[in-house]
Amino acid sequence: MLENSVVENDRRLDKAWSQKAVRLLEAEGRRAADSHLRFMTLPGFPGIDIYFKDESTHPTGSLKHRLAHSLILYGVCNGIIGRNTVLVEASSGSTAVSEAYFARCLGLDFYAVLPRATSKSKIDAIIQHGGLCHFVDDPSDIYQEASTLAARKNGHFLNQFAYAERAVDWRGSNNIACSIMEQLSLERHPVPEWIVMSAGTGGTSATLGRYILYRGMPTKLCVPDPQYSAFFEGWRDADPSRTADRPSRIEGIGRPRVEPSFIPGVVDAMIKVPDAASIAACRVLSDMLSRTVGGSTGTNFIGVLWAASRMAAEGREGSIVSLICDSGERYHDTYFSDDWLAEQDIDISPAIEHIEAAIGSGRLSPDIFSPCGAAKRANLSPGP
């Protein structure tokens, strides 16, 4: 009778391999030093200290290095990923680059399902790290195609868009929010007035917002959203079913739907940033830093200028923190190419003038948002 009441695991996932995989992932995490927190001041905002956490310094060159580590560790520790599991991801590029890196560390096959328009430099990086690329013509098809491919390979769909917010320990000592606060601890304004972070999966903004609430901080979270993305409208209208009618041109952020990992309740403000402003901002900030940054960092910079303008209008001093999501080296053929801008019918000259004026005057004109109408619709004008 007892024999029929006991069932033992058939060890299809080989516990010894899983434990070794965890050690390898943790060792890799410890080898990579924490990213730098870069400080800057702007002439028009003398009482406001601005910091950019430079996530481009990770071994795979972007913020997504943290996410890839967490997603694969999550899969291993949940008994989903084993020694022969084929890993599959739907991605616009950077997450897949990082996941290919960690898959190779564990000796696992990795497939990236990518929009065909993904930049060549990201495709090359995925292949360099041992990954395989599977392309779709319609970016909205990447979810279903990745799920189908994983089933066909008897593998695991990592699904960053669904699992980003739960794979990262937002209360622990190893998340990005905790790192930021530790690095700020000896600064003039150690508790920031604003943290500014755009959304791709929504996982990083969720981690930051949850940590702010968990620690009882007065800090506010601003999520700037690129022009062709559903997050802003979904948050503004409290409607998670909102969609965008075309894919985002700012790689790594902005989605055609409100992703499951986006947590609207932790967000204090959102702004809709025209693509011209994002690209102009990444060029201006690149000149200021004497190194190139990507378009998503440009979107973040617009959010920083908006928050700083709000603070200046209210007579408040303090600090603002944002992120350098990746290097501009991946975008020489797009955001830093005048020919590409012409092909896309994007004129960044007016936005550059608005940005440079804000840096000098301490006020970001609401006109910079006019192609999206965001300042009017969401009442986000930074003040008189």
Side-chain angles (χ1 to χ4, degrees), residues 117 227-228 246-250 275-276 279 333-335 337-348:
Q227 185 170 351
Y228 300 108
R246 59 172 293 179
S248 175
R249 289 183 293 195
I250 307 302
D275 290 348
I279 297 167
D333 295 333
T334 53
Y335 308 138
S337 167
D338 292 338
D339 291 340
W340 182 84
L341 292 178
E343 291 172 3
Q344 298 291 319
D345 194 25
I346 297 175
D347 180 9
I348 64 174

Side-chain angles (χ1 to χ4, degrees), residues 230-249:
F231 287 125
F232 176 85
E233 285 78 12
W235 181 83
R236 180 196 62 191
D237 301 334
D239 182 5
S241 69
R242 291 300 298 265
T243 59
D245 58 5
R246 59 172 293 179
S248 175
R249 289 183 293 195

Side-chain angles (χ1 to χ4, degrees), residues 2 34 130 143 145 153 245 287 305 312 319 341 377:
L2 180 61
D34 197 7
Y143 315 95
E145 187 64 23
K153 297 288 183 181
D245 58 5
D287 289 340
L305 292 174
S319 59
L341 292 178
R377 287 203 306 267

Side-chain angles (χ1 to χ4, degrees), residues 19-359:
Q19 292 172 337
K20 180 181 178 181
V22 169
R23 289 197 300 272
L24 288 171
L25 290 169
E26 292 299 276
E28 170 60 31
R30 295 187 183 189
R31 284 197 296 270
D34 197 7
S35 57
H36 298 170
L37 195 63
R38 299 192 59 161
F39 170 73
M40 66 187 303
T41 57
L42 303 178
F45 304 98
I48 300 173
D49 298 336
I50 296 170
Y51 301 85
F52 280 93
K53 190 162 178 60
D54 190 356
E55 294 291 284
S56 71
T57 59
H58 289 297
T60 54
S62 81
L63 166 68
K64 301 300 187 180
H65 192 83
R66 293 179 187 269
L67 175 59
H69 180 274
S70 295
L71 286 168
I72 295 178
L73 185 62
Y74 179 84
V76 171
C77 291
N78 278 278
I80 302 168
I81 297 174
R83 67 169 66 241
N84 297 313
T85 305
V86 175
L87 303 181
V88 180
E89 183 62 283
S91 173
S92 62
S94 289
T95 303
V97 173
S98 300
E99 287 171 339
Y101 174 89
F102 285 110
R104 186 167 67 176
C105 287
L106 300 184
L108 302 177
D109 291 337
F110 174 77
Y111 287 83
V113 178
L114 306 163
R116 200 169 296 279
T118 300
S119 63
K120 183 178 182 299
S121 61
K122 289 184 179 179
I123 294 170
D124 291 343
I126 293 167
I127 295 171
Q128 179 186 4
H129 291 305
L132 299 169
C133 297
H134 183 91
F135 298 100
V136 297
D137 293 316
D138 184 347
S140 64
D141 290 340
I142 60 173
Y143 315 95
Q144 184 57 51
E145 187 64 23
S147 179
T148 300
L149 181 61
R152 191 161 67 242
K153 297 288 183 181
N154 195 26
H156 171 55
F157 177 21
L158 290 160
N159 201 351
Q160 58 171 321
F161 302 107
Y163 296 117
E165 57 86 14
R166 70 190 71 173
V168 177
D169 181 6
W170 51 269
R171 292 169 295 182
S173 60
N174 63 342
N175 69 50
I176 193 168
C178 184
S179 173
I180 287 171
M181 297 313 301
E182 288 179 353
Q183 290 176 315
L184 282 174
S185 61
L186 298 180
E187 300 298 315
R188 179 169 64 150
H189 302 291
V191 179
E193 291 282 321
W194 288 91
I195 294 178
V196 177
M197 181 57 206
S198 50
T201 63
T204 302
S205 64
T207 297
L208 293 167
R210 285 166 162 172
Y211 191 85
I212 288 168
L213 291 173
Y214 180 60
R215 292 298 181 186
M217 297 162 56
T219 304
K220 295 179 286 294
L221 174 65
C222 172
V223 177
D225 201 34
Q227 185 170 351
Y228 300 108
S229 175
F231 287 125
F232 176 85
E233 285 78 12
W235 181 83
R236 180 196 62 191
D237 301 334
D239 182 5
S241 69
R242 291 300 298 265
T243 59
D245 58 5
R246 59 172 293 179
S248 175
R249 289 183 293 195
I250 307 302
E251 288 193 35
I253 60 171
R255 300 298 306 161
R257 68 180 192 182
V258 180
E259 300 293 351
S261 285
F262 179 70
I263 308 298
V266 302
V267 178
D268 296 287
M270 289 194 72
I271 59 176
K272 191 80 164 178
V273 181
D275 290 348
S278 293
I279 297 167
C282 84
R283 289 196 178 192
V284 172
L285 185 59
S286 293
D287 289 340
M288 295 175 68
L289 296 174
S290 298
R291 50 150 301 184
T292 57
V293 298
S296 56
T297 304
T299 307
N300 285 347
F301 190 33
I302 295 295
V304 167
L305 292 174
W306 174 82
S309 296
R310 283 282 297 267
M311 291 173 61
E314 296 166 358
R316 297 175 64 87
E317 296 187 349
S319 59
I320 300 172
V321 181
S322 190
L323 276 69
I324 296 174
C325 301
D326 62 3
S327 169
E329 294 177 2
R330 294 176 171 176
Y331 308 103
H332 285 312
D333 295 333
T334 53
Y335 308 138
F336 292 90
S337 167
D338 292 338
D339 291 340
W340 182 84
L341 292 178
E343 291 172 3
Q344 298 291 319
D345 194 25
I346 297 175
D347 180 9
I348 64 174
S349 300
I352 287 178
E353 291 179 5
H354 284 306
I355 293 165
E356 291 178 341
I359 290 170

